[in-house]
Every structure is written in structure tokens, then in C-alpha cells.
Amino acid sequence: MLKSLLVGIDGSGYSRAAVELGIAWAKQFDALLVGLGVIDQPGICHPEPVPLGAGAFKSMLDESRVKRATKTVEQALEDFSIRCAEAGVASKPLEDVGDPVASIAMEAQRYDLILLGQKTYFRLDGSDTETLEHLLKAPPRPVVCVPESPQPGEAVLIAYDGSLQAARALHAFCVSGLSESATDVHVVTVNNDSKEGHRCAARAMDYLSFHDIKAQTHIVKESSNPSASLLSQAEEMKAKLLVMGCYGKSAIREFFLGSVTRTLLDKCPIPLFLFQ
């Protein structure tokens, strides 16, 4: 059951959408919503070649950039606190200096769930893909990635392929308590062999039944673009959340799951509940 949620604050529209979802869940579970803003000083002040005698200028430039980043983070955290107060949600703003991935991973050990925008803007020079990708390779907690304008829906779609990553994601979703309010749940397995697909999906269905969660099974024929199949299923079912495992251990599996994860992070119009 969710008692606390950590949301990454970077001042972007994606971050604000993550805050709004965090507020909704914090209200549902009477949980604490923690906003973490990270000043990426290592990224701003990283060593780089400069012309002879220009070292002092670089130091001044770095100092100016750090001040600008600090101001952006502090304003975003102030907006976060005001929004939570308006919504009547218990909140806590946190400010940290360091690498965004390391800061989020470290702080997340205190809380139940991580919420981030599908695109993050912790880096001073705009959006980056490294923060999410690196965090998802070894997440200390489940990560929910939120699009800037999530499409409305009622159903929960669980992408299940029988992997350890999928099993862990399913478990994390159920124990979070988010499953308790899900009245329209669908397990989707992509497999050309219908018999094997149903055998795989049955494990997820059994697990859900032990938690008194009713669900429907869908076996989708495998294609060269599995992410497109999942997006199509999510649209057809009017899903509000997609649950799935991300990445893998072997190079082949990481290539396949990694490409699916990256595509969904880029194109999925609903929040993604991801775990490794």
C-alpha cells in the first residue's frame, strides 16, 4: 500500500503532469508526496577543453549556470508546495545537488514509488534521455513515467511475457494498492503460439486472482513492432495505465525489451508503470 511517493521536479510540463498524478494517488492513499528537485552541478561544471587563459571565464560561466539552475529548481519546488497545499495533500519539497540519476535513486530508497515525466529536464541544456534510461536499468522502486497530457481512460493494461521483469512489475503493481481501484484490468501477451500465450498469461491471471482482481486475457500475434501492438491495445481498451517490465539481463533480451521501453517512453499517451 502506498504511503509515500517521490516525484521528480524539473519545472517542465511533464513534471507538472507527474505532480498531478502524484496528488491524485496521494489523496487516494492518504500518502505523503515528496518533490525532489536536483541541481545538476556535476553536469554544469564538467571539465572541458578551453583556450589558454580562458579557465577563469569558464569558472564564471559555470557559476552563473549553477545559479540559474538553482533558481529554476527553487521556483519549481515552490510551485509544487503551493499546488499540494491547494489540493490538501501532505507534501515535502527536497532540493539536492548532484547527478540527477544518483540523487533520485538514493532518495527513492525512502519511498514507495517514483513518478517522473516521460521526458525530463534536469539537465540545464534542455530535455535528456539519460536520466530515465539509466534509472530504469536498476530502479530501487517502481517508476511511473507520465506524459505531458495523459489521455483519459479507465482500464489498466498489463503487458505480460512471462519474464522475471514482467513478474516483478505485476507484483509491484499489486502490492502498491493501485490494483484495488482497478475495475477493468486486461492482461496482454504477445505470442504467435496461442496455446503458449494462454499458458503464459495464465500465470499472471492466477496471481491476480489471489489478490481478488478480475482480469481479461488477450493473446496478440507477435509482430516486428511489439510496442505498436501494445499502443494499439491500450487505445482500443481506453487504458489509463500500462504496467510492464523494462529492460533485461542478457544482451539479446535488453536489446528487445530496451527498444520497446524506449519507444513507449517516447510515444505512449498514458502513464507507464515500469519495474525491472
Side-chain angles (χ1 to χ4, degrees), residues 31-91:
L32 173 68
L33 184 60
V34 179
L36 175 62
V38 183
I39 301 163
D40 181 24
Q41 187 170 7
I44 295 171
C45 302
H46 69 279
E48 56 183 324
V50 295
L52 188 64
F57 174 76
K58 183 183 184 305
S59 296
M60 291 175 59
L61 183 60
D62 288 347
E63 183 179 352
S64 173
R65 287 173 173 171
V66 169
K67 286 182 178 178
R68 180 154 58 94
T70 301
K71 184 177 180 180
T72 298
V73 167
E74 290 178 347
Q75 182 60 60
L77 287 173
E78 182 180 344
D79 294 342
F80 162 78
S81 296
I82 291 172
R83 179 68 190 95
C84 289
E86 291 174 346
V89 166
S91 67

Side-chain angles (χ1 to χ4, degrees), residues 234-263:
E235 181 179 4
E236 181 180 333
M237 298 170 189
K238 294 182 171 55
K240 64 178 179 180
L241 185 68
L242 172 56
V243 179
M244 62 177 284
C246 59
Y247 299 107
K249 297 298 182 184
S250 70
I252 293 176
R253 184 163 191 82
E254 183 165 332
F255 175 79
F256 176 73
L257 288 181
S259 64
V260 172
T261 302
R262 283 188 288 271
T263 300

Side-chain angles (χ1 to χ4, degrees), residues 198-257:
H198 278 93
R199 187 180 295 117
C200 173
R203 296 196 290 273
M205 296 292 287
D206 285 345
Y207 184 83
L208 289 169
S209 69
F210 294 144
H211 289 265
D212 298 319
I213 300 169
K214 294 181 179 180
Q216 300 178 49
T217 300
H218 305 265
I219 308 302
V220 179
K221 286 189 175 181
E222 193 169 350
S223 69
S224 59
N225 193 346
S227 51
S229 297
L230 290 175
L231 289 173
S232 176
Q233 290 292 313
E235 181 179 4
E236 181 180 333
M237 298 170 189
K238 294 182 171 55
K240 64 178 179 180
L241 185 68
L242 172 56
V243 179
M244 62 177 284
C246 59
Y247 299 107
K249 297 298 182 184
S250 70
I252 293 176
R253 184 163 191 82
E254 183 165 332
F255 175 79
F256 176 73
L257 288 181

